[in-house]
Amino acid sequence: MKGPIFDTHAHYCSTRFDPDREELLARLPEEGVVGVCECATHSGDAALAVALAHKFPYVWAAVGIHPESLIEEDAATVAVYRGDWVAELRDMAPLFEDERVVAVGECGLDHHWPIPEQAQLDLLEAQLKLARELDKPIILHDREAHAPMYELLRKYKPKGILHCYSGSADDAEWLTAQGLYLGFGGSATFKGARRALEAAKATPPEQLLLETDCPYMAPVPFRGKRNDSGLIAHTAAVLARELDVPEEELLTRTAANARRVFGLEEGGPGTV
């Protein structure tokens, strides 16, 4: 068994896990998994995320609205709220009071897909304000949108995580100096991942996190297959080699970092 593995960004609510979701989650501790943050992307999967966090003691939840939910027809943001994310966030308010909800997210900016830019900015800014009001960390998605994302981060200076970090090593230095944690996943094992590896080297050890974004971005040698938290061991092996630290030390350190950013130190909210 490898571990301790703390997956700071997972999507077990995805339909790709429908055939075996609970069976998989039940056996992950046997693979060294000690923690998972299950990230909702709209109100439609938020309740399931929270339910999973209550059923499995090592799972916690983050609740928010992803920018892609503004255009996905099967997302509640479109299917139920007809794009009225203000009403959707208002209706999600009780979930943020749940002790198993440790963060706001997943939310952010995505300029890869044809999502109206102003709507994205307004939605993200609302969730940055919400995270500050709730005194919770925020989990941020930044795809091909560094400039507007960084502008908002400089303005709000939130606590939280830039997940699947894709920025430069230079940006990693000021982002972490501002207090943010950076998440690295399976893409760090892909051919041509030098930028991500250099960014990981520039990240202070106490602000480095491991993640899957499962079911997506499985690490080599499982690239293209369904990802799960147990496969973080392969990502950790690559990063440990690059950072010149033992793999077990990296896993132990990143698990402690995850507990810190989510406020899960012994005696903290939602701990068991």
Side-chain angles (χ1 to χ4, degrees):
M1 181 181 83
K2 290 184 178 291
I5 291 170
F6 199 122
D7 183 355
T8 58
H9 198 103
H11 296 288
Y12 288 107
C13 291
S14 166
T15 56
R16 291 182 63 183
F17 290 108
D18 284 354
D20 61 345
R21 179 180 294 108
E22 298 207 358
E23 294 86 348
L24 173 61
L25 286 168
R27 70 172 181 265
L28 282 177
E30 299 172 11
E31 299 177 27
V33 178
V34 299
V36 169
C37 183
E38 172 67 13
C39 299
T41 57
H42 55 87
S43 60
D45 59 17
L48 176 56
V50 175
L52 291 174
H54 278 276
K55 183 160 188 175
F56 297 94
Y58 69 93
V59 176
W60 287 269
V63 175
I65 303 176
H66 192 287
E68 289 180 31
S69 294
L70 292 169
I71 62 170
E72 291 181 341
E73 292 184 359
D74 58 348
T77 313
V78 175
V80 177
Y81 289 90
R82 299 293 187 264
D84 186 357
W85 56 263
V86 174
E88 185 177 15
L89 271 181
R90 184 175 61 245
D91 290 348
M92 293 166 72
L95 293 175
F96 291 106
E97 300 174 6
D98 193 292
E99 66 176 3
R100 302 296 293 179
V101 175
V102 295
V104 175
E106 177 184 2
C107 54
L109 299 175
D110 193 311
H111 287 182
H112 178 77
W113 299 110
I115 308 167
E117 291 188 13
Q118 191 59 51
Q120 291 190 63
L121 285 167
D122 292 345
L123 175 58
L124 174 56
E125 194 159 16
Q127 291 178 98
L128 283 164
K129 292 176 181 177
L130 176 62
R132 185 169 60 188
E133 291 167 6
L134 296 172
D135 193 27
K136 290 183 183 291
I138 192 165
I139 299 177
L140 296 160
H141 170 98
D142 173 12
R143 189 174 187 186
E144 301 174 17
H146 294 331
M149 174 63 77
Y150 292 170
E151 183 178 349
L152 286 174
L153 295 182
R154 287 188 174 98
K155 177 181 178 180
Y156 285 96
K157 296 181 171 57
K159 60 181 181 180
I161 303 166
L162 265 174
H163 109 90
C164 193
Y165 181 69
S166 59
S168 67
D170 288 343
D171 285 332
E173 291 181 0
W174 75 261
L175 288 163
T176 54
Q178 188 171 286
L180 288 165
Y181 290 64
L182 305 183
F184 295 88
S187 60
T189 70
F190 297 171
K191 184 179 179 180
R194 178 51 47 189
R195 179 180 171 91
L197 296 174
E198 291 301 322
K201 290 179 181 179
T203 301
E206 65 274 12
Q207 287 166 272
L208 182 73
L209 299 171
L210 297 177
E211 63 170 71
T212 57
D213 202 20
C214 67
Y216 316 107
M217 293 201 307
V220 174
F222 299 95
R223 186 174 184 180
K225 297 183 179 180
R226 191 183 73 172
N227 200 4
D228 68 62
S229 304
L231 298 183
I232 277 181
H234 297 274
T235 302
V238 170
L239 286 172
R241 183 168 62 248
E242 287 289 327
L243 299 173
D244 194 25
V245 297
E247 184 178 342
E248 184 176 357
E249 179 182 330
L250 178 64
L251 289 169
T252 299
R253 180 189 300 157
T254 52
N257 294 346
R259 293 188 184 98
R260 187 185 319 113
V261 72
F262 291 133
L264 297 174
E265 294 94 341
E266 186 174 352
T271 52
V272 292

